[in-house]
Amino acid sequence: MSRRAGILEFAVLGLLRESPMHGYELRKRLNTSLGVFRAFSYGTLYPCLKTLVANGWLIEESGSTPEDALTATLAGRRAKIVYRLTAEGKDHFEELLAQTGPDAYEDEHFAARFAFFGQTSRDVRMRVLEGRRSRLEERLEKMRASLARTRERLDDYTLELQRHGMESVEREVRWLNELIESERAGRDIKTSASDGSAQQDNTSGETGGLPRHRDSTRPDPSDDTVT
């Protein structure tokens, strides 16, 4: 299985853990909620769903009433199929959530993992965040060393592009530092949609952990423009 296929399967299982969905609903959620899947087709999604069904992690159910199904048949259309997570699928997803290997720190996989941090235990969140920060700090060191070697040979625009890339990574490192600090402090911050204020919520030691931000911008974990 390719890395991207593995990320897609993880995301599909995570979304279906929240509720059963049609393929169209799944594609919409993947596009809007998970930036890493901004551009992908049904030709990618449906083979993934078929694989998950074959593995016993999903089941297909009719999402229509008998009358709707009959109307669809008479009109030559396929009845809507709803995908539902099985008990085995839930167990498999929880196993994937607990994994904290190097793949979890990479750009695309980290974005998908972060999207499901609300379903992830605090100790696993900490390992993933710290691993991601370490990976980016290594990247920064290499970028700075490369820039120091080639600065004199670069034109102004290429040099500015290099600086922009470094600033993007530095910004994400600062963001990760804030997240890690909040996780260590056991803070659960929720932002009120009505007035934009932050509220402290300590009802659960397993969810939350988002820090208060000093500005309106934060890095997109799915931003893989810097490699």
Side-chain angles (χ1 to χ4, degrees), residues 62-81:
S62 172
S64 307
T65 64
E67 293 79 9
D68 291 338
L70 177 59
T71 300
T73 300
L74 293 174
R77 301 193 308 268
R78 294 182 59 186
K80 288 184 178 180
I81 298 297

Side-chain angles (χ1 to χ4, degrees), residues 47-60 83-84:
C48 171
L49 290 170
K50 293 299 183 184
T51 297
L52 295 175
V53 170
N55 288 339
W57 297 330
L58 301 182
I59 57 173
E60 296 176 328
Y83 295 91
R84 182 184 299 274

Side-chain angles (χ1 to χ4, degrees), residues 4 7-16 18 26-40 93 108-117 119 220-223:
R4 189 168 180 82
I7 299 170
L8 180 57
E9 289 190 4
F10 171 83
V12 167
L13 291 172
L15 290 175
L16 290 177
E18 299 173 3
L26 262 174
R27 185 173 184 266
K28 184 176 180 181
R29 287 289 306 278
L30 288 165
N31 278 328
T32 58
S33 303
L34 302 178
V36 67
F37 300 110
R38 288 191 182 102
F40 81 107
F93 179 68
E108 291 187 343
H109 208 149
F110 175 75
R113 288 298 302 269
F114 191 83
F116 295 100
F117 262 22
Q119 303 180 43
D220 181 353
S222 68
D223 182 2

Side-chain angles (χ1 to χ4, degrees), residues 27-183:
R27 185 173 184 266
K28 184 176 180 181
R29 287 289 306 278
L30 288 165
N31 278 328
T32 58
S33 303
L34 302 178
V36 67
F37 300 110
R38 288 191 182 102
F40 81 107
S41 66
Y42 286 112
T44 302
L45 176 59
Y46 281 105
C48 171
L49 290 170
K50 293 299 183 184
T51 297
L52 295 175
V53 170
N55 288 339
W57 297 330
L58 301 182
I59 57 173
E60 296 176 328
E61 299 176 337
S62 172
S64 307
T65 64
E67 293 79 9
D68 291 338
L70 177 59
T71 300
T73 300
L74 293 174
R77 301 193 308 268
R78 294 182 59 186
K80 288 184 178 180
I81 298 297
V82 169
Y83 295 91
R84 182 184 299 274
L85 195 66
T86 64
E88 292 80 5
K90 182 179 179 181
D91 290 342
H92 180 63
F93 179 68
E94 290 176 351
E95 290 174 2
L96 295 176
L97 276 181
Q99 294 179 4
T100 57
D103 280 352
Y105 317 147
E106 299 298 337
D107 294 335
E108 291 187 343
H109 208 149
F110 175 75
R113 288 298 302 269
F114 191 83
F116 295 100
F117 262 22
Q119 303 180 43
T120 307
S121 64
R122 175 166 281 134
D123 62 321
V124 171
R125 292 198 303 261
M126 281 291 295
R127 288 197 293 272
V128 173
L129 290 171
E130 290 175 340
R132 174 66 174 175
R133 180 177 63 180
S134 177
R135 181 62 51 85
L136 291 183
E137 287 173 341
E138 292 174 2
R139 185 182 298 178
L140 264 179
E141 184 177 349
K142 291 179 181 178
M143 293 174 73
R144 287 167 178 157
S146 175
L147 185 60
R149 290 193 305 269
T150 62
R151 180 187 299 271
E152 300 302 325
R153 301 195 299 271
L154 299 177
D155 62 61
D156 290 342
Y157 294 101
T158 304
L159 184 61
E160 190 61 29
L161 184 62
Q162 294 283 339
R163 288 173 176 165
H164 174 69
M166 288 178 56
E167 288 173 359
S168 297
V169 179
E170 289 168 345
R171 186 168 62 251
E172 185 171 347
V173 170
R174 290 194 298 269
W175 175 64
L176 290 167
N177 285 336
E178 291 182 353
L179 287 171
I180 291 168
E181 180 184 354
S182 293
E183 293 286 353

Side-chain angles (χ1 to χ4, degrees), residues 188-201 212 218:
D188 297 326
I189 305 293
K190 293 183 179 179
T191 302
S192 170
S194 59
D195 59 10
S197 62
Q199 304 176 35
Q200 190 81 14
D201 181 1
R212 186 193 304 269
R218 72 172 112 173

